[in-house]
Amino acid sequence: MSYEILYDTQFIRSKSGITPAILSGSNNCTEVNWTLSGRRYERGERSWWVLFNRVGVSEDDFMANIQKMTGSPYQQHWKSRGKWVDDAGLVRWAKCAIRRAATIEAILLDNRPHSSIQCYVSVWENNEHRTALNTYISSTEAFDEWVQNVEQLRANLPEKSSFYPIVNLWEGMNHPEARNFAPDEKVILKHKNSFLQEYSAVHSSWSTNAKDAMILTYEQAVTILRNPSIPGMNGAKVHRASALDFSPAVYIKVTDLRTGSANYYRSAKRYSIVTTPFPKLAKRFSPKNAQQAVKRMQPKYQKLSFEIVPAEE
């Protein structure tokens, strides 16, 4: 049985409308890939393409096409994360993808060091293949211009031609959150659990303590992220400064009630807790997160006691 597997989704929002880019492939086809160490292996083939071959469409038009796919006794549209997507799942997916649609600028901002996105059209005409309108785009304005050219090309092609617009994004890409910032809004740059503390043209330093975070305007943050010469920015994301918890960091002290030995919480495994006698190796929490962690752990580990203590500065 042949079916489609959906691997990733990123709709693009522009003045023209939305462009539904998806990464998918057939379960019956494989492709050769290579690990970083040079090992060859096969996996299911996959590529980015535009659903319904429609670029810059309105949300209503897109949802109308989704609705046309529903209502059949056949409830297996494609597989995603190992499960079949039925009519209800398809509609939920489409609405969520629309909400999370992002501009070209936002996508590039969250996917350094990429500075542009390849867009082109694959055309089959008179049994011959050609690539048209192949360009690299780095702004919404340029993307809208490409959308206009795509529609002109579509209108001028012979009736029996096959026409496939492609927005060639990346596997494992970061997906921008659907948040809008004012240019002068106060923000911080965060990478995993670290906050940007300071930077220059040749270096950047990061701190796990929110109090050390450099407060920037959104405009300044965008300028930093778009500067390829500043190291350490790949994977960094913009967050509102107002969402930061500036409370002093704390540790969770774990005492074994059977032996009386006390250590500091470091991490958790599936059935156990990893502790350390050294405070500098312990995990730092905000007071709120520490309280939540203790509340989760206490019922599970009844032979241990948990105490929230101030972290070393």
Side-chain angles (χ1 to χ4, degrees):
M1 177 183 175
S2 178
Y3 57 84
E4 197 77 4
I5 302 174
L6 179 69
Y7 295 100
D8 206 351
T9 303
Q10 180 60 69
F11 287 12
I12 297 173
R13 188 178 299 281
S14 68
K15 292 180 180 179
S16 302
I18 59 168
T19 298
I22 63 174
L23 176 67
S24 70
S26 170
N27 70 309
N28 281 339
C29 300
T30 61
E31 62 185 13
V32 174
N33 213 339
W34 303 86
T35 65
L36 293 176
S37 61
R39 183 176 64 85
R40 180 184 183 276
Y41 68 98
E42 286 192 9
R43 65 171 190 177
E45 62 90 19
R46 63 204 66 178
S47 59
W48 284 96
W49 59 288
V50 176
L51 189 59
F52 306 130
N53 293 330
R54 295 292 306 278
V55 294
V57 298
S58 71
E59 295 179 12
D60 290 341
D61 284 348
F62 176 75
M63 288 306 302
N65 282 320
I66 289 291
Q67 291 296 340
K68 290 177 184 177
M69 296 174 64
T70 64
S72 166
Y74 183 77
Q75 288 285 304
Q76 297 176 339
H77 296 288
W78 56 59
K79 272 193 173 181
S80 178
R81 299 179 181 178
K83 296 182 179 180
W84 284 108
V85 174
D86 59 11
D87 282 359
L90 178 67
V91 172
R92 285 197 303 271
W93 166 83
K95 290 180 177 179
C96 179
I98 288 173
R99 285 197 306 271
R100 298 186 64 186
T103 63
I104 293 291
E105 290 85 353
I107 293 170
L108 292 174
L109 203 60
D110 276 3
N111 288 278
R112 281 175 44 119
H114 297 286
S115 59
S116 61
I117 300 171
Q118 184 188 23
C119 299
Y120 63 93
V121 180
S122 180
V123 180
W124 284 90
E125 187 178 357
N126 299 324
N127 295 321
E128 292 186 357
H129 176 262
R130 65 185 174 94
T131 298
L133 302 178
N134 188 13
T135 186
Y136 287 83
I137 288 171
S138 56
S139 69
T140 296
E141 183 180 2
F143 185 76
D144 277 327
E145 183 179 346
W146 180 77
V147 167
Q148 278 189 331
N149 292 336
V150 168
E151 292 307 314
Q152 289 176 3
L153 177 63
R154 186 198 305 270
N156 294 330
L157 283 175
E159 186 176 344
K160 293 185 179 180
S161 300
S162 298
F163 178 91
Y164 305 102
I166 305 293
V167 177
N168 196 19
L169 296 165
W170 320 280
E171 286 192 50
M173 64 176 290
N174 295 318
H175 296 280
E177 297 184 25
R179 297 180 297 180
N180 294 318
F181 297 90
D184 58 348
E185 186 169 357
K186 301 300 181 184
V187 300
I188 53 95
L189 288 175
K190 187 177 181 182
H191 182 262
K192 295 183 178 178
N193 293 323
S194 298
F195 303 90
L196 179 66
Q197 187 176 16
E198 60 180 15
Y199 74 96
S200 72
V202 294
H203 93 287
S204 62
S205 62
W206 301 77
S207 171
T208 56
N209 192 337
K211 292 191 296 183
D212 296 332
M214 175 179 279
I215 307 298
L216 306 160
T217 65
Y218 178 66
E219 199 168 28
Q220 290 171 330
V222 169
T223 300
I224 293 170
L225 290 176
R226 287 180 177 168
N227 187 340
S229 68
I230 302 176
M233 295 296 168
N234 291 354
K237 291 193 173 185
V238 178
H239 294 265
R240 287 189 166 90
S242 59
L244 281 181
D245 185 352
F246 289 103
S247 303
V250 297
Y251 298 139
I252 297 177
K253 194 173 184 179
V254 183
T255 302
D256 190 323
L257 298 176
R258 296 161 294 184
T259 64
S261 63
N263 290 291
Y264 297 94
Y265 176 94
R266 185 172 183 180
S267 62
K269 294 185 177 179
R270 188 172 183 181
Y271 298 111
S272 63
I273 291 174
V274 179
T275 61
T276 175
F278 306 107
K280 288 187 177 180
L281 297 179
K283 182 173 179 178
R284 300 168 71 96
F285 292 86
S286 69
K288 180 180 178 181
N289 288 344
Q291 290 171 4
Q292 292 173 345
V294 169
K295 186 176 180 180
R296 287 194 305 269
M297 293 188 291
Q298 192 68 75
K300 188 175 180 180
Y301 302 101
Q302 297 184 2
K303 294 180 181 180
L304 303 175
S305 70
F306 302 91
E307 180 187 0
I308 299 172
V309 299
E312 293 183 356
E313 294 297 333

